């Protein structure tokens, strides 16, 4: 398998819903094509941005199968859907996701052990889940912040790197020193680190990080694609773009994922801003739409100024 498979920009996919909060398949197809038109290198389906904790197992599998079908091999697709608390249920979820046609199944770090339990317990659970997925399907881990954030221990990262089964970590530590340490642990293995944090992204690329997989690829993925592909060739423009992306990413604290769905609606991809994870009814009565619009307009100005 190519060492270049799990590199680049990997949007964490949104799930569009209709007025009844059922999956809007037509909008989802538009979203897939929008990501691909921006030049992304892969897609992370059925993740927290997809509202995976609010999808049934059946919905999650249908969602991912649809995405895999629409992508049709143009880029690799990974997916999670690892939301259950009971271990037997988790094993069913990941085994079922492996049958959807994805390139990789992504485990959720906080599902490996309850809050307060040891890193050793989490690693033991990870080892048990690993054998539940056929070896033809790659594996990864996502440090999802909901319902609580469990950062991976160095021992866990090292075990994943040495196992040969793991290819992808969605890193949410937001700490460049931890990222550098993890990169050293991954060196020489097939394990790739995907930084989710825009503020440390350029520094992490400079340190050898392999990918970006963050929520802001739901607003301007093409800017992240340019940064990933060109930061070595044009370091000054890359730094200016990074300055904008670092600031723009603060919008993720403004009622996300509703703000991202609002943006997708504004460009004609989504019919509604409906969410299951939170009530979107009052969004337009706040300053949040204006803040989102301003961030997007400024991004267009930056793109023009940098001739991207």
């Amino acid at each position: 398998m190519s060492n270049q498979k799990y590199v680049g920009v990997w949007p964490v996919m949104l799930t569009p819903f209709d007025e009844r909060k059922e999956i809007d398949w037509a909008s989802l197809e538009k979203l897939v094509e929008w990501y691909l038109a921006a030049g992304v290198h892969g897609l992370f389906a059925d993740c927290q941005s997809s509202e995976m904790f609010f999808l049934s197992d059946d919905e999650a599998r249908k969602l991912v199968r649809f995405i895999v079908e629409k992508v049709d091999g143009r880029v690799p697709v990974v997916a999670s859907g690892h939301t259950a608390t009971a271990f037997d249920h988790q094993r069913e979820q990941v085994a079922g996701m492996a049958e959807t046609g994805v390139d990789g199944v992504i485990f959720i770090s906080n599902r490996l052990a309850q809050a307060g339990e040891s890193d050793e317990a989490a690693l033991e659970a990870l080892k048990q889940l690993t054998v539940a997925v056929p070896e033809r399907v790659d594996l990864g881990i996502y440090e999802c912040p909901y319902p609580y954030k469990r950062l991976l221990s160095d021992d866990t990262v090292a075990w994943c790197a040495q196992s040969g089964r793991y290819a992808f970590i969605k890193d949410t530590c937001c700490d460049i020193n931890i990222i550098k340490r993890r990169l050293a642990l991954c060196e020489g293995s097939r394990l790739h680190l995907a930084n989710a944090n825009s503020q440390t992204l350029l520094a992490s690329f400079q340190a050898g990080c392999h990918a970006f997989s963050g929520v802001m690829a739901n607003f301007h993925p093409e800017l992240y694609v340019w940064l990933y592909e060109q930061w070595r060739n044009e370091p000054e423009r890359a730094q200016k773009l990074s300055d904008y992306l670092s600031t723009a990413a603060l919008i993720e604290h403004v009622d996300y994922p509703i703000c991202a769905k609002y943006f997708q609606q504004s460009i004609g991809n989504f019919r509604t801003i409906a969410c299951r994870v939170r009530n979107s009814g009052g969004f337009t009565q706040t300053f949040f739409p204006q803040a989102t619009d301003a961030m997007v307009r400024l991004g267009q100005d930056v793109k023009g100024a940098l001739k991207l």
Side-chain angles (χ1 to χ4, degrees):
M1 184 175 296
S2 170
N3 285 333
Q4 297 304 304
K5 186 173 186 178
Y6 295 99
V7 301
V9 175
W10 290 68
V12 284
M13 295 186 67
L14 301 167
T15 301
F17 296 114
D18 61 21
E19 294 81 358
R20 299 170 301 164
K21 297 189 179 180
E22 300 295 330
I23 297 173
D24 181 345
W25 302 103
S27 293
L28 180 58
E29 184 171 2
K30 288 181 180 179
L31 180 67
V32 168
E33 295 303 325
W34 179 79
Y35 288 134
L36 297 181
V40 304
H41 305 85
L43 293 175
F44 187 172
D46 199 24
C47 54
Q48 188 183 14
S49 287
S50 314
E51 302 176 66
M52 67 177 176
F53 284 94
F54 297 83
L55 299 173
S56 70
D57 291 352
D58 184 57
E59 284 178 315
R61 288 189 290 268
K62 287 180 179 177
L63 177 81
V64 174
R65 286 194 190 100
F66 181 90
I67 292 166
V68 169
E69 179 184 326
K70 296 304 176 183
V71 170
D72 194 25
R74 287 176 285 176
V75 297
V77 178
V78 299
S80 184
H82 176 211
T83 60
T85 299
F87 182 80
D88 287 347
H89 189 184
Q90 292 182 38
R91 188 161 46 196
E92 291 173 6
Q93 288 181 322
V94 299
M97 194 57 69
E99 300 305 316
T100 61
V102 290
D103 296 83
V105 172
I106 309 299
F107 299 145
I108 300 301
S109 59
N110 63 46
R111 301 294 81 201
L112 301 174
Q114 296 300 307
E117 292 188 302
S118 68
D119 290 333
E120 291 75 16
L123 179 53
E124 184 57 34
L126 182 65
K127 291 177 180 179
Q128 293 181 45
L129 275 179
T130 297
V131 300
V133 177
E135 291 194 7
R136 60 180 167 76
V137 179
D138 292 328
L139 294 175
I141 309 179
Y142 165 27
E143 294 174 321
C144 181
Y146 178 89
Y148 80 97
K149 183 183 283 194
R150 175 178 286 272
L151 294 181
L152 300 174
S153 68
D154 286 356
D155 286 345
T156 299
V157 175
W159 182 84
C160 290
Q162 294 161 13
S163 73
R165 287 288 283 117
Y166 285 79
F168 190 94
I169 290 179
K170 178 169 156 54
D171 181 301
T172 69
C173 73
C174 306
D175 185 322
I176 189 61
N177 293 318
I178 294 176
I179 290 171
K180 288 178 178 178
R181 192 166 72 241
R182 290 175 171 181
L183 288 169
L185 293 170
C186 296
E187 189 171 0
S189 77
R190 63 191 297 265
L191 182 56
H192 295 74
L193 208 63
N195 189 358
N197 177 244
S198 297
Q199 288 79 16
T200 58
L201 185 60
L202 179 56
S204 73
F205 284 160
Q206 293 166 342
C209 194
H210 313 98
F212 170 71
S213 185
V215 304
M216 294 307 294
N218 287 312
F219 294 95
H220 35 225
E222 70 282 358
L223 296 183
Y224 285 94
V225 169
W226 187 93
L227 185 68
Y228 171 76
E229 293 181 347
Q230 300 298 331
W231 69 266
R232 292 182 183 85
N233 301 326
E234 301 193 55
E236 291 185 7
R237 288 210 290 171
Q239 184 61 61
K240 289 181 180 179
L241 177 56
S242 176
D243 291 344
Y244 165 70
L245 294 176
S246 296
T247 305
L250 297 175
I251 204 72
E252 69 183 89
H253 301 292
V254 179
D255 222 358
Y256 181 84
I258 300 171
C259 61
K261 291 188 172 187
Y262 165 80
F263 167 70
Q264 290 294 329
Q265 184 184 52
S266 75
I267 60 173
N269 285 342
F270 286 14
R271 291 188 298 161
T272 78
I273 61 172
C275 290
R276 292 185 185 177
V277 68
R278 62 206 309 150
N279 184 358
S280 59
F283 181 80
T284 56
Q285 276 68 59
T286 69
F287 66 86
F288 297 162
Q290 289 78 16
T292 304
D293 292 342
M295 181 273 294
V296 171
R297 286 195 301 270
L298 185 56
Q300 291 300 318
D301 291 345
V302 169
K303 187 175 179 180
L306 296 177
K307 299 181 173 60
L308 303 185

